[in-house]
Amino acid sequence: MTVLPYKDSNDGKKEQVASMFDNISSKYDLLNRVLSGGIDIYWRKVAINKLKSKQPKTILDVATGTGDLALQAWSTLQPEKITGADISAGMVEVGREKVAKKGLSDKIDLQIGDSENLPFEDNSFDAVTVAFGVRNFENLEKGLSEIQRVLRPNGTLVVLEFSQPTNFLFKHLYRFYSMKVLPTIGKIVSKDNSAYTYLPESVEKFPYGKAFTDILDKLGYKSVTCTPLTFGISSVYTGQK
């Protein structure tokens, strides 16, 4: 079953996700920090550290949002060029402002782009990263195949995505937080009634852990790994082309 942000809309998931992120773009970073207690910053560092040994010169950050992972990649890896692509014009605009404030507009190029129809040639990037974006793909396998297409041979995919805790007590505490507390705070701050209800619903339906690594294996990614973080609230996945 496809999880949609706006259940009374006739638009497809892709259009709804773009509209949702446009609506919350101005509050997105604030809500990320508040709702995760800042631990999302640590998760991004762990994800980018997976590329340290590879030293990629060119990186594509898919579903780049406001550019947090792209900025972390620059801080940690100092590649020649980072390109970010996101379907939401509102998120890209916020990201461009952040990049410009840091004086990195010549190093980090954020643009509007569809993850399932990437506007780049085959074999263009040494690494592709995605943080909290793959569960928003309308067609997960198509998006992952597109990423594979633009990766150079032996290039690396790094995906950071929400998963689900396995510890019984923590799992129930987290479920209560994500289903009750998170949507309430999200609604008050973002003024969007649906966005932070969609978040826990999309996480619950997402094929995490072995189910996700099986998809990567099926699509032909090599050396696939999964690293759970913070009791399994999120996970970092890697694969090679």
Side-chain angles (χ1 to χ4, degrees), residues 14-25 28 60-70 83-96 109-120 129-134 136-137:
K14 196 175 295 185
E15 291 76 21
Q16 289 195 34
V17 165
S19 178
M20 178 189 75
F21 281 113
D22 284 345
N23 291 341
I24 66 173
S25 57
Y28 181 79
L60 172 64
D61 186 37
V62 171
T64 194
T66 62
D68 274 349
L69 195 68
T83 303
D86 197 281
I87 201 168
S88 165
M91 297 285 275
V92 168
E93 187 55 40
V94 173
R96 284 174 177 164
D109 173 34
L110 304 186
Q111 55 188 264
I112 299 167
D114 179 357
S115 58
E116 292 161 45
N117 295 284
L118 293 169
F120 309 108
T129 59
V130 195
F132 309 117
V134 291
N136 297 322
F137 289 1

Side-chain angles (χ1 to χ4, degrees), residues 9 79 117 214:
S9 170
N117 295 284
D214 283 350

Side-chain angles (χ1 to χ4, degrees), residues 4 18 20 28 62 68 96 118 124 134 138 151-153 176 181 184 227 229 235:
L4 299 171
M20 178 189 75
Y28 181 79
V62 171
D68 274 349
R96 284 174 177 164
L118 293 169
S124 294
V134 291
E138 189 166 64
L151 269 174
R152 291 192 176 124
F176 174 78
V181 179
T184 302
T227 306
L229 304 174
S235 297

